[in-house]
């Protein structure tokens, strides 16, 4: 029944960016406690009628009046509230994406114990007492890569006595980008110097001093570590390394044994690792190439390309 009612309500209203709750969007019904409260009040009323006792009459009318007042207060705890969709932050598949909403109070009103939640997610409770607006962050797990929507937003309240429940459903225009789930890779083929830990491997060169190694016949005398030899530490040669000018490429063809999703996950793993190492890298996908670069903006462009590979752009 609840699912059918929700579908019926959502068919009446399109997806929106901002909405102010009015009487045509707020639904209100007694809770289980409220139903038992009504039953109790009616039983007391029947006892008053049966025994013609004015005191029992007064008690039953007091209970029923309190119930009617609760209807007004529970409805008023949502009426006039404005909900605006702000931002959605990207995440990896299987992780929680963050969605930010802005709640703005109606004129001269306080709102208490308002609960917001996406479908099948834990609710977040908030108050607007003395504040005209408040930002609320909700989270939902990304089911697959690409653009996705968190579903229907439920806004409800049981304030003040829990006898009634006022609620509404809202479809926002928020959508989040889910990057592929990283798949660990032991090495980056063709990198010529990136190992499984993401470290640059040094080779022989002539620019920067790297360390010492045992001297072998045929090595240049200019590389002999004379200070160590004079200190009685034996004959060693200095080892130098060059700055690697090679540009790293994350190429679609590097792992031909993997399927499409696994390749994207492996490329995502290395994009994150190279970004953490602050190395310059580029991306090659069928029909798409991103030139080598570094930094958060470059990382975002690479991950976005991986997330949307093979998927049509979702404009709605």
């Amino acid at each position: 029944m609840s699912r059918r009612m929700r579908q019926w309500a959502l068919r009446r209203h399109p997806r929106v960016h901002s909405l102010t709750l009015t009487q045509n969007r707020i639904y209100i019904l007694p809770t289980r406690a409220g139903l038992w409260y009504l039953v109790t009040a009616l039983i007391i009323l029947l006892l008053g009628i049966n025994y013609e006792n004015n005191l029992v009459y007064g008690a039953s009318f007091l209970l029923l009046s309190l119930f009617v007042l609760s209807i007004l207060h529970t409805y008023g705890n949502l009426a006039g509230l404005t909900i605006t969709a702000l931002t959605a932050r990207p995440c990896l598949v299987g992780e929680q994406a963050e969605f930010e909403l802005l709640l703005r109070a109606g004129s001269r009103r306080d709102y208490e114990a308002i609960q917001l939640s996406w479908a099948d997610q834990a609710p977040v409770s908030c108050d607007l007492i003395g504040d005209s607006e408040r930002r609320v962050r909700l989270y939902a797990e990304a089911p697959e890569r690409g653009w996705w929507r968190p579903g229907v937003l439920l806004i409800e309240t049981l304030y003040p006595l829990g006898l009634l429940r006022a609620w509404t459903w809202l479809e926002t225009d928020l959508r989040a980008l889910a990057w592929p789930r990283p798949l660990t890779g032991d090495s980056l083929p063709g990198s010529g110097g990136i190992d499984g830990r993401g470290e640059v491997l040094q080779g022989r060169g002539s620019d920067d001093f790297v360390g010492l190694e045992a001297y072998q016949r045929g090595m240049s005398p200019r590389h002999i570590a004379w200070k160590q030899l004079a200190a009685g530490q034996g004959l060693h040669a200095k080892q130098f390394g060059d700055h690697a000018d090679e540009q790293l490429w994350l190429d679609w063809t590097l792992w031909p044994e993997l399927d499409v999703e696994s390749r994207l996950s492996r490329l995502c793993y290395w994009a994150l690792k190279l970004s953490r190492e602050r190395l310059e890298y580029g991306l090659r996908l069928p029909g798409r190439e991103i030139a080598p670069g570094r930094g958060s903006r470059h990382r975002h462009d690479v991950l976005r390309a991986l997330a949307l590979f093979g998927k049509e752009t979702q404009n709605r």
Side-chain angles (χ1 to χ4, degrees):
M1 178 64 183
S2 177
R3 183 182 297 273
R4 289 198 299 268
M5 186 176 181
R6 181 177 63 187
Q7 293 174 349
W8 170 80
L10 292 175
R11 282 197 300 267
R12 299 174 59 221
H13 305 285
R15 184 180 293 124
V16 295
H17 176 73
S18 182
L19 175 69
T20 299
L21 299 181
T22 56
Q23 66 272 11
N24 64 334
R25 290 300 297 262
I26 299 176
Y27 308 93
I28 184 168
L29 283 174
T31 62
R32 179 175 298 181
L35 290 175
W36 281 110
Y37 181 93
L38 281 177
V39 170
T40 302
L42 291 175
I43 290 175
I44 293 175
L45 178 61
L46 291 176
L47 290 174
I49 294 173
N50 185 58
Y51 292 103
E52 298 182 354
N53 188 311
N54 291 335
L55 183 60
V56 178
Y57 274 128
S60 64
F61 292 153
L62 177 63
L63 293 176
L64 291 173
S65 299
L66 185 61
F67 187 85
V68 173
L69 289 175
S70 294
I71 295 176
L72 300 177
H73 282 281
T74 303
Y75 167 81
N77 201 44
L78 286 186
L81 182 67
T82 300
I83 301 98
T84 303
L86 294 182
T87 59
R89 291 177 174 81
C91 68
L92 298 169
V93 171
E95 292 186 349
Q96 298 280 329
E98 181 183 281
F99 300 89
E100 189 172 30
L101 304 171
L102 177 66
L103 303 185
R104 185 176 292 112
S107 60
R108 300 179 182 177
R109 286 196 180 184
D110 290 335
Y111 297 86
E112 299 183 50
I114 298 174
Q115 294 189 339
L116 301 96
S117 64
W118 303 117
D120 304 323
Q121 299 291 329
V124 174
S125 182
C126 66
D127 302 320
L128 278 83
I129 302 176
D131 297 327
S132 60
E133 61 183 36
R134 179 174 176 179
R135 292 173 181 260
V136 178
R137 291 180 176 85
L138 300 178
Y139 299 88
E141 183 176 317
E144 60 182 6
R145 69 176 176 88
W147 290 114
W148 64 282
R149 299 187 185 277
V152 179
L153 177 65
L154 173 63
I155 308 165
E156 63 180 340
T157 182
L158 302 178
Y159 177 85
L161 300 177
L163 300 178
L164 295 115
R165 172 178 176 254
W167 78 96
T168 188
W169 292 291
L170 172 64
E171 275 195 299
T172 70
D173 59 358
L174 286 177
R175 62 175 187 173
L177 184 63
W179 303 323
R181 188 194 305 269
L183 178 63
T184 304
D186 294 332
S187 62
L188 184 60
S191 65
I194 305 297
D195 70 359
R197 299 182 300 275
E199 298 176 350
V200 179
L201 301 179
Q202 301 287 345
R204 294 181 180 273
S206 58
D207 288 342
D208 296 328
F209 174 72
V210 175
L212 298 175
E213 62 178 339
Y215 181 82
Q216 298 178 9
R217 181 174 298 180
M219 289 183 174
S220 173
R222 294 181 303 171
H223 292 172
I224 295 177
W226 298 108
K227 290 184 179 180
Q228 284 74 14
L229 179 61
Q233 298 179 5
L235 188 59
H236 293 82
K238 297 179 181 179
Q239 185 181 11
F240 296 87
D242 290 331
H243 290 292
D245 294 328
E246 179 185 6
Q247 293 178 332
L248 299 174
W249 284 95
L250 299 178
D251 200 305
W252 176 260
T253 61
L254 290 179
W255 297 280
E257 72 280 4
L258 300 179
D259 58 27
V260 172
E261 294 301 324
S262 297
R263 286 197 204 192
L264 294 173
S265 296
R266 181 65 59 80
L267 290 169
C268 180
Y269 167 82
W270 278 105
L272 294 173
K273 179 175 284 292
L274 295 178
S275 295
R276 288 194 299 268
E277 296 294 328
R278 299 181 180 179
L279 298 176
E280 188 171 300
Y281 64 95
L283 175 68
R284 289 194 182 108
L285 296 173
R288 178 76 186 277
E289 181 175 304
I290 298 178
R294 60 165 61 94
S296 59
R297 182 58 184 270
H298 178 71
R299 178 177 65 91
H300 177 78
D301 292 341
V302 169
L303 294 177
R304 179 187 176 94
L306 295 175
L308 299 179
F309 177 76
K311 293 181 177 287
E312 295 180 358
T313 302
Q314 303 175 18
N315 296 321
R316 292 181 59 82

